[in-house]
Amino acid sequence: MRIFAAEMARPCTDIDDVLREINQRLRKLEKSDSEKNEEIGRLNRINGQKDVEIHNLKQELASTKSELSDAKDRIHELEKELDKNDDEGDDTPGASGKPEKNSSNSSIPPSQESIAARELRRTRSLRKPSGKPSGGQLGHEGHTLKTVANPDRIIRHEPAYCKCCGRPLEGIPYRKIRKTQIIDIKLVVETTEEQYCEKVCECGCVNNCGAPNCRIKYGDNLRALVTYLNVVQCVPFKRIAEFISDLSGQKISEGTVQNILRENSSKADGAYEEIRKRLENAPVVGADETGAAIGKQLHWNWIFQNDQLTYVFQMKSRGQQAIDSKFPKGIPNTTLVTDRHQSYFKMKVKDHQVCLAHLLRNAEYLNELDTNQKWSHRFVHLIEHSMRLRREGHITSRKIKVLKTKMKNLLGESLTHLDENFEKFKRGILKVKDYLFTFLYDPHVPYDNNASERGVRKIKIKQKVSGCFRTDSGADDFAKIHYIAETAMKNGNSKFNAILAVVQQ
């Protein structure tokens, strides 16, 4: 109004100009008020969102405090338990100044190592330098792509114009051809309709072909691919369905994947049992076991294998009951290569061979535990010497006798002046002393059980990718099909073709 009064007090030469200017100023004021109202509304909305975020953060903070309190209680309980173990003389890794146990100096798997132990293992190994350069060695047979005499398709590229004068080259015969072959995979979805005819004989008999009782089904190749992806490559059900859909456009459900695996597992029963029977009569067999989660329970996967066969089964038991369920009469004609798990030594076998790689790892812990003593170093020297005799082929009855005498004398020494772990280790070796050098008498018996450990490693890979097996039947299906494929690979055959042969039964 003051502005309006000032305008009225001013001498007016033209009343229309004054009114026009006043109207323009009023419109500007109204526009400014509208913009301010919009800004106020926007700020109110932001404040509302902040209030919601603050409320959610308060709830999350309260939940975190509760979890932190539970974690502190759990840590307190573990500390009490640790103190109790120390009081009882328990050999806790890293306790009382002792070296920490890891996969390099004990049977602790790498998955249970501490971060420091993993880094130490990454930079240190029990293997001794060979002195050979890295990479392929002299005489190693290389692999490369090879051309074929009759390619599936030929595409000819001919120059159209002369690059010098520009004249067309059509009709001019070529002088020479330089060939390049390209190897590729062609993914094609093929639908086959099988028609089953019915004919009536003159005698009145109606004749039919044996038609399956279904309108449509997946073919053998797709079933084999689904099984191969899940069992050999450890791909979960959902990702298999996505893979098939992305490559072929064919939709497939997770339930269908499970049904395919179950059906193929039942078809594999015959081959699976045949592998078990052949291992019963094999001259050398390695065995090992590893834990696996089945639902919410810990089960054990057992492996019995040799250079040509692999047999794996899972059971809740880790004792003699599990072994007797598959080998009730033992394997009386076999030399069994294992670790020192007592269940194996209750089996009826021809002979035993203890895994020396396990003993070397355990002895390495003793080397770290007391660096001043020489007993464990002498034990390692004897074991490595026996292994070197085998590798170099310098085995004689006299050398074996000297080696066994030295080991007997070493195990007869008193270790009461050393840490209790030395005496404990020696007692364990005395139980299996007759099975340390079996491999020196039979060239087919290995001195370690690494092949069995590699065989059960697939179970751990499957769990890391897919979590756990939800049912006993699912774990059985995986073991049955996968180790048929492993047996095929050991005999120089394709894993996929082995699975396809099972599917086509």
Side-chain angles (χ1 to χ4, degrees), residues 208-272:
N208 294 304
C209 297
N213 187 24
C214 64
R215 183 179 59 85
I216 188 170
K217 64 177 183 178
Y218 291 111
D220 292 343
N221 289 325
L222 192 144
R223 289 172 175 267
L225 177 60
V226 167
T227 307
Y228 175 86
L229 290 174
N230 179 262
V231 175
V232 178
Q233 300 301 332
C234 300
V235 183
F237 289 1
K238 183 177 180 181
R239 288 166 57 186
I240 290 176
E242 292 177 354
F243 177 82
I244 298 298
S245 177
D246 291 342
L247 260 63
S248 65
Q250 183 68 45
K251 300 295 183 180
I252 185 171
S253 67
E254 296 179 41
T256 301
V257 173
Q258 183 178 8
N259 292 336
I260 289 175
L261 293 173
R262 185 177 295 116
E263 179 182 345
N264 292 339
S265 172
S266 63
K267 291 182 178 180
D269 286 339
Y272 190 60

Side-chain angles (χ1 to χ4, degrees), residues 311-346:
Y311 182 78
V312 173
F313 62 94
Q314 66 85 24
M315 288 195 69
K316 191 174 182 179
S317 170
R318 197 191 180 190
Q320 193 66 27
Q321 177 186 356
I323 298 177
D324 291 343
S325 68
K326 301 298 181 180
F327 300 96
K329 299 180 181 179
I331 39 180
N333 301 318
T334 298
T335 298
L336 188 63
V337 184
T338 64
D339 56 20
R340 290 181 289 162
H341 184 43
Q342 290 301 311
S343 296
Y344 298 121
F345 295 91
K346 297 177 182 178

Side-chain angles (χ1 to χ4, degrees), residues 102-151:
N102 52 53
S103 62
S104 298
N105 58 21
S106 69
S107 299
I108 294 177
S111 59
Q112 296 182 12
E113 291 179 337
S114 66
I115 296 177
R118 292 178 190 176
E119 286 300 310
L120 183 63
R121 173 171 53 82
R122 189 176 60 85
T123 57
R124 186 177 66 178
S125 174
L126 290 176
R127 296 180 181 177
K128 307 300 180 183
S130 64
K132 299 179 180 179
S134 60
Q137 302 301 311
L138 184 64
H140 171 70
E141 183 179 356
H143 301 277
T144 185
L145 293 176
K146 296 181 180 180
T147 59
V148 297
N150 299 309

Side-chain angles (χ1 to χ4, degrees), residues 69 170 428 483:
S69 178
E170 185 178 359
Y483 292 103

